[in-house]
Amino acid sequence: MPTQTSTIFSLQAPKDISLNEIDAELNQIWQSYGITGENGGLPSATRATTFTLVVYEPEETQYLLAALGFYNGPIDGILGPQMAAALREVQKKNSLPETGTATQETLSVLREEFAKGQRNGSGGEHPAAGLNNSGSPRIADEIALRNPCRIIALFPLAGEDEGVKAQVSAYCPIQKQSSSTLICCEYITLSGTAAALERIGGMIPALLIGGLPKFLWWKATPDPNNGLFKRLAAVCNNVIVDSCNFNEPERELLRLEELVETGIPLADLNWRRLASWQELTAEAYDSPNRRAALKEIDRVTIDYEKGNPAQALLFLGWLASRLQWQPVSYEKESGDYDITRIHFIAQEQRQVEAELAGVPVADVGDIIGDLIALRLSSTNAQADCGTVICSETGGCMRMETHGGAQSAGLFQQVTSLSEQKAEALLSQQVQRWGRESLFEESLGVTANIFKLAN
């Protein structure tokens, strides 16, 4: 049996260098290889010529806790109750002071346990490694398959401030349809404490490729007061976040609205996950008679997987912005189902009521808070506006129990999408940049809903 050829060609494995040697090292990689492919008959290679992507990873503590099975919440860099409980569990197990914070002793234990797991073959990837099991940059895999680019990965580490460590590498995914040209991704990794990374923030813009689009994927919770965030956001064409990882979605969606108001061109990968729901909703009212019935909608019910209401809130914000509903009241009720009720005033002073329900599910998907089902209806029995839309996997059990499906004039199903993970959505997002007016309008309505609570 012939040996299977690797799908990744390593132009340069990760190499430790000093900060002021980064550009020279990248140039040396290409000079050594020969961009035209004349060295030893190697195929020609295309250098990063499309965009630069800066990726800010959350701090390492959550990665280590998750890899060792102590934590299963979002990797967002926030010391929330779940993370504090995980840290106390580690501390109790290792007879350390149970502070619930990432003390140096606790981090040493976590790193030692992680390293032991790797030696035994059971450990995952260290957050600062920047590589996956195939030896290629994990973030670049989805992107470099389509575009030659430069990726700058920033890894804030806990512990003592020992400055910033820099690595440079270059990888070329081999295209199945053609192996005559390699499309390569340059990869720069900078790791150190958050304070150390902020200190060298002034040099990062110089590493962005001039004249090409620049993206910032901020994987931690965006903080308008974070110096490094502000510096990078100011020079990038798009700042990309993923609200499915927010620990406190309401507060953090409000932060996104603050960023939009300051002029930052923001994109949310979680917003892209709503595209099919939006398309089916719009399609349901395409016919002239149903379009006229749109103004009769005064009841909205949205079910989502319990844990993060961001998708449900963004969808409701989109619907309200399109139909010109103004929020007037907002209340929450916790329990087996997390219930949120929002009242709007529509045109002609009609009252509209929306209910969002966080539904506990046995088989939680990869994306926290995915939509399960939605129902649009009217208290006017003569209105032809009833619509129920369900996910292929979640179904409409709760809608049917409440009689919604039977009274719906139209029943549709959202087909499961294979590319819902952040890396796949990111590879689509970098094909466009600038401000997204529809997202900003929807986020604005969502922010106005939250402000009612305050």
Side-chain angles (χ1 to χ4, degrees), residues 125-141:
E125 172 191 3
H126 191 276
L131 303 176
N132 64 21
N133 292 332
S134 66
S136 63
R138 66 169 184 273
I139 304 166
D141 285 348

Side-chain angles (χ1 to χ4, degrees), residues 101-346:
T101 59
T103 63
Q104 191 59 51
E105 294 83 0
T106 308
L107 282 167
S108 297
V109 167
L110 288 171
R111 289 167 178 159
E112 184 179 342
E113 287 296 312
F114 184 87
K116 188 186 301 182
Q118 284 193 315
R119 289 194 295 271
N120 296 335
S122 60
E125 172 191 3
H126 191 276
L131 303 176
N132 64 21
N133 292 332
S134 66
S136 63
R138 66 169 184 273
I139 304 166
D141 285 348
E142 287 284 347
I143 302 166
L145 284 170
R146 299 168 174 83
N147 304 286
C149 61
R150 175 177 292 180
I151 293 180
I152 304 171
L154 309 177
F155 289 97
L157 306 176
E160 295 295 325
D161 188 340
E162 299 177 352
V164 175
K165 175 184 175 182
Q167 283 188 336
V168 166
S169 56
Y171 292 89
C172 314
I174 297 173
Q175 306 293 319
K176 292 182 180 179
Q177 62 270 27
S178 172
S179 59
S180 59
T181 301
L182 299 176
I183 300 177
C184 304
C185 185
E186 299 172 347
Y187 204 85
I188 302 167
T189 301
L190 303 174
S191 57
T193 64
L197 290 173
E198 190 164 338
R199 279 202 309 274
I200 59 112
M203 67 162 286
I204 296 175
L207 299 175
L208 309 178
I209 303 173
L212 296 178
K214 303 166 184 67
F215 299 93
L216 170 62
W217 185 16
W218 194 267
K219 295 176 73 175
T221 300
D223 180 1
N225 299 315
N226 181 293
L228 183 58
F229 177 83
K230 288 195 290 186
R231 187 188 294 272
L232 295 175
V235 297
C236 287
N237 300 93
N238 238 168
V239 176
I240 303 167
V241 299
D242 193 345
S243 61
C244 85
N245 293 322
F246 287 174
N247 249 358
E248 299 180 64
E250 295 176 10
R251 189 183 70 165
E252 288 150 21
L253 287 172
L254 266 174
R255 276 187 175 179
L256 296 191
E257 170 63 11
E258 292 172 14
L259 295 173
V260 167
E261 289 178 352
T262 64
I264 290 177
L266 201 67
D268 182 359
L269 299 182
N270 217 20
W271 167 259
R272 296 187 67 86
R273 296 186 181 100
L274 297 174
S276 294
W277 294 88
Q278 293 165 333
E279 289 167 9
L280 283 179
T281 302
E283 183 183 299
Y285 297 97
D286 267 349
S287 61
N289 63 312
R290 297 205 97 224
R291 196 173 307 157
L294 264 174
K295 66 179 185 298
E296 298 288 347
I297 296 173
D298 58 16
R299 292 293 181 270
V300 179
T301 305
I302 302 175
D303 287 359
Y304 63 93
E305 292 185 6
K306 186 176 180 178
N308 185 330
Q311 278 190 29
L313 289 163
L314 287 172
F315 182 89
L316 182 61
W318 168 76
L319 186 66
S321 72
R322 297 303 90 200
L323 298 179
Q324 298 180 16
W325 297 345
Q326 299 300 320
V328 292
S329 72
Y330 169 75
E331 59 185 84
K332 294 175 65 176
E333 174 188 321
S334 297
D336 292 338
Y337 292 83
D338 287 341
I339 303 295
T340 303
R341 294 186 179 89
I342 301 130
H343 289 83
F344 298 86
I345 294 293

Side-chain angles (χ1 to χ4, degrees), residues 11-12 24-34 168-170:
L11 210 60
Q12 170 67 60
E25 181 63 28
L26 287 171
N27 289 330
Q28 182 60 39
I29 291 172
W30 291 96
Q31 290 171 8
S32 300
Y33 177 81
V168 166
S169 56

Side-chain angles (χ1 to χ4, degrees), residues 370-431:
D370 264 342
L371 293 194
I372 297 173
L374 71 91
R375 180 175 69 237
L376 307 178
S377 59
S378 174
T379 52
N380 177 3
Q382 304 305 313
D384 179 22
C385 64
T387 298
V388 171
I389 303 176
C390 300
S391 69
E392 189 177 55
T393 53
C396 276
M397 185 178 298
R398 202 173 85 92
M399 297 295 181
E400 292 170 356
T401 302
H402 287 76
Q406 288 86 341
S407 62
L410 187 63
F411 183 96
Q412 300 193 78
Q413 190 174 64
V414 174
T415 303
S416 295
L417 299 178
S418 58
E419 295 196 339
Q420 292 291 286
K421 291 187 177 180
E423 287 79 2
L425 293 171
L426 185 70
S427 69
Q428 301 168 24
Q429 184 64 47
V430 293
Q431 305 303 318

